[in-house]
Amino acid sequence: MTSPPHAPEPHGHGHSHAHSHGPAEPVSRHLRKVIAAVLIPFATAVAVGLVVLWPGGTPAHERTGVGFDRQTQQGEVVSVERVDCADVNAAQVPPTGDTSTPEGREAVNAQQEQCEKATVEVTTGPDKGRTFVEIVQPDAPRQLHEGQGVVVAYAPDAPHDLQYSVTDVNRKLPMALLAGIFAVAVVVVGRMRGVMALIALAVSFLVLTLFILPAILQGSNPLVVAVVGSSAIMLIALYMCHGLSARTSVAVLGTLISLLLIGLLGSLFIDWAALSGNTDDNTGLIHGLYPEIDMSGLLLAGVIIGSLGVLDDVTVTQTSAVWELHQADPGMGPRGLYRAGIRIGRDHIASVVNTLVLAYAGAALPLLLLFSIAQSSMGTVANSELVAEEIVRTLVGSIGLVASVPVTTALAALVVSADRPGSEGGKPAAARRGRRRRAK
C-alpha cells in the first residue's frame, strides 16, 4: 500500500510526469498505514469467504425441458420452400367454425396464406447430420432463410420426428463482432488503462460465472455470496484499473460503505414490501429446480451486484476530483476540498439517477405498454410485484449512489489534506521542506 516518495524530476518535467499516471500521492506514511490497516483485513476476509464458499461446480439436475432448461444443439437451415398452410396443417379452424374470436380469425388467415417449410440439419452433438422439418407460419415473428444458423432444442421423450425443433437463431457472429468493436474502442481511447479495464471486466465475469452463480445454486446464502463476490470484483477491478494507491483505497472504502447501506436498505424494504423475488417464468423455473434457494435473498443479491458497477464510477470520479483539486491548490483545507468536490458530485448525481430510471423504463417498456393497454392507474402498476420489485431495486441503488458522493468526497478530503510537512519524518520530509523554501 505504501510507495516511495517521488524524487524531483530533472529538466523541469515534474509537472507533466505528475499527470501522466495520476498525481503523486500526497498522503503521509501514517495515513497509508491506517488505510492499509482497514483494507488488508477486509481483503483477507474476502479471500477467506471465497475459499469457504467456493463451489465445486454447478450442481447437476434432471432437465425439465422447459424454457432455458432444455438440451440444445447448433443447427443450420439447409433449404426453405413455400407451401400452403392448409397442406401442412399449420393452423386449425375452430370445430364450430366460429371466426369471431382473434384465434379463429388468425387460423383462417393462416390457412389461406403460404407457410415456409424449412429443412434443418443438426450440426453439433451426437445426432450431427440429422435433419428435421420446421414449419414457419406467415405471421411468425421469426422467419428462416437458407444457410441461416439456428439453435435447436432436443426433447428425448418426444416421438422421433418431433424430437428436434428450432428455438432461436445463432447470433454469435454479430455479437462477437460488436464485442470486438467495443474492445478496440476501449483500447484506442483508454490505451493501457483501457487494456486493464478489459482484463478487469474479464475477471469480473469469471467471478460471476465461476463463483457467484454456482455458489447460489449449491444453496449458499445469496446475500453472503453476493457480498463476497461483489467485494472481490470491486477490489480486483479498482486496483487493477487505477493502481495500488491511497487514492484507489479511498474509492474502495467509499464503495464498501455505500454497498453496506444498499444491503441494509434492500433487506429492509424487500422484506417490508413482501417481495418474493419469484415474479416470472424464469424465477419460477429456478425455484422449481432448486427450491432451497431463498428467492428474496436472490433479489437482494441482484440489487447489490447491479449497483456495484455504477458505484465504482461515482466513487473513483469523486476521489480523483478531490485529488486534482488538491493538486491545483495544495493550501485548500478539508472543508474547502469537500465543498468543491461536492459541487462536482451534485452534477454526477443528477445524471446518474436519471440514467438508472431511464434504463429501467427502457428495459421494461413492453411491460409498461401492457399496463397502458389495460388502462391501469399508476398506483396499480407500481403496486404489482413485478414493477414494485424493479422500483425497490432502482430506488435502493439510487440512494446508495447518492450517499456515495458525500461519503467518498469527505473521506478523500480528509485523507488528501492530512499530509503535513513533518508527518513523513526523516529525510523525505526535510527534502520536501527544502523544496518549499526554494520555491519561496
Side-chain angles (χ1 to χ4, degrees):
M1 196 70 66
T2 60
S3 59
H6 291 273
E9 294 285 334
H11 309 300
H13 293 296
H15 180 75
S16 62
H17 176 79
H19 290 277
S20 61
H21 297 287
E25 292 296 330
V27 180
S28 66
R29 183 174 290 113
H30 173 70
L31 277 177
R32 289 200 293 271
K33 289 181 178 178
V34 171
I35 293 173
V38 174
L39 288 178
I40 290 178
F42 169 63
T44 303
V46 171
V48 171
L50 287 172
V51 172
V52 171
L53 297 174
W54 192 267
T58 303
H61 69 277
E62 186 177 348
R63 291 184 179 272
T64 63
V66 178
F68 289 104
D69 193 41
R70 290 180 287 186
Q71 300 181 43
T72 59
Q73 300 292 344
Q74 299 299 312
E76 182 180 346
V77 179
V78 178
S79 63
V80 177
E81 59 179 308
R82 301 189 70 82
V83 296
D84 290 334
C85 292
D87 293 341
V88 293
N89 203 27
Q92 294 289 329
V93 178
T96 60
D98 181 15
T99 58
S100 61
T101 63
E103 294 81 3
R105 287 194 296 272
E106 288 176 6
V108 171
N109 292 336
Q111 281 200 335
Q112 294 173 349
E113 295 185 32
Q114 294 279 302
C115 289
E116 289 184 344
K117 182 179 179 181
T119 302
V120 182
E121 179 182 353
V122 181
T123 57
T124 61
D127 290 331
K128 181 179 180 180
R130 177 175 167 180
T131 60
F132 64 95
V133 173
E134 182 84 8
I135 302 300
V136 183
Q137 296 191 17
D139 58 346
R142 181 176 60 244
Q143 300 294 317
L144 301 178
H145 59 266
E146 188 173 336
Q148 183 177 24
V150 293
V151 179
V152 298
Y154 175 62
D157 297 333
H160 185 269
D161 293 341
L162 302 176
Q163 286 182 331
Y164 280 97
S165 61
V166 175
T167 61
D168 211 339
V169 299
N170 189 332
R171 303 181 180 89
K172 291 182 179 179
L173 179 59
M175 298 290 282
L177 179 60
L178 182 60
I181 295 172
F182 164 74
V184 170
V186 170
V187 172
V188 168
V189 177
R191 299 186 180 179
M192 195 59 199
R193 287 289 180 91
V195 173
M196 297 307 294
L198 290 176
I199 295 174
L201 178 62
V203 172
S204 299
F205 183 75
L206 289 176
V207 172
L208 181 65
T209 55
L210 298 181
F211 172 70
I212 295 178
L213 300 181
I216 291 175
L217 290 177
Q218 281 200 339
S220 298
N221 187 293
L223 177 57
V224 176
V225 171
V227 169
V228 173
S230 297
S231 300
I233 290 173
M234 174 183 65
L235 290 170
I236 294 170
L238 286 181
Y239 283 117
M240 185 174 289
C241 293
H242 305 286
L244 192 66
S245 64
R247 181 171 65 178
T248 307
S249 299
V250 171
V252 168
L253 287 174
T255 305
L256 176 61
I257 294 171
S258 302
L259 280 178
L260 291 175
L261 176 62
I262 289 172
L264 291 173
L265 286 176
S267 179
L268 172 63
F269 282 95
I270 287 174
D271 183 60
W272 193 3
L275 298 177
S276 65
N278 190 359
T279 53
D280 56 24
D281 293 341
N282 293 328
T283 53
L285 179 60
I286 292 171
H287 185 63
L289 293 173
Y290 300 96
E292 69 277 4
I293 293 179
D294 179 10
M295 298 304 293
S296 60
L298 187 62
L299 172 60
L300 180 56
V303 172
I304 293 173
I305 295 172
S307 302
L308 178 61
V310 189
L311 269 178
D312 286 353
D313 174 43
V314 173
T315 55
V316 169
T317 301
Q318 286 304 114
T319 306
S320 296
V322 172
W323 244 258
E324 291 296 334
L325 288 167
H326 181 79
Q327 285 283 102
D329 184 3
M332 190 182 297
R335 186 171 298 178
L337 285 171
Y338 176 81
R339 284 199 297 262
I342 206 69
R343 284 195 295 270
I344 299 172
R346 289 190 186 107
D347 291 336
H348 207 175
I349 287 173
S351 60
V352 167
V353 170
N354 197 41
T355 299
L356 286 176
V357 174
L358 291 180
Y360 166 67
L365 200 57
L367 175 63
L368 298 177
L369 281 175
L370 287 177
F371 281 112
S372 180
I373 292 170
Q375 297 183 346
S376 301
S377 66
M378 289 301 296
T380 303
V381 172
N383 190 66
S384 66
E385 183 171 0
L386 195 59
V387 176
E389 183 178 291
E390 297 302 329
I391 291 175
V392 170
R393 187 199 310 269
T394 302
L395 293 181
V396 167
S398 298
I399 291 171
L401 287 174
V402 171
S404 70
V405 171
V407 168
T408 308
T409 305
L411 284 173
L414 288 172
V415 170
V416 79
S417 62
D419 192 33
R420 292 294 179 265
S423 59
E424 292 285 355
K427 185 177 178 180
R432 296 194 320 166
R433 284 196 296 271
R435 287 198 297 271
R436 273 193 290 273
R437 281 196 298 271
R438 288 194 297 270
K440 292 179 182 179

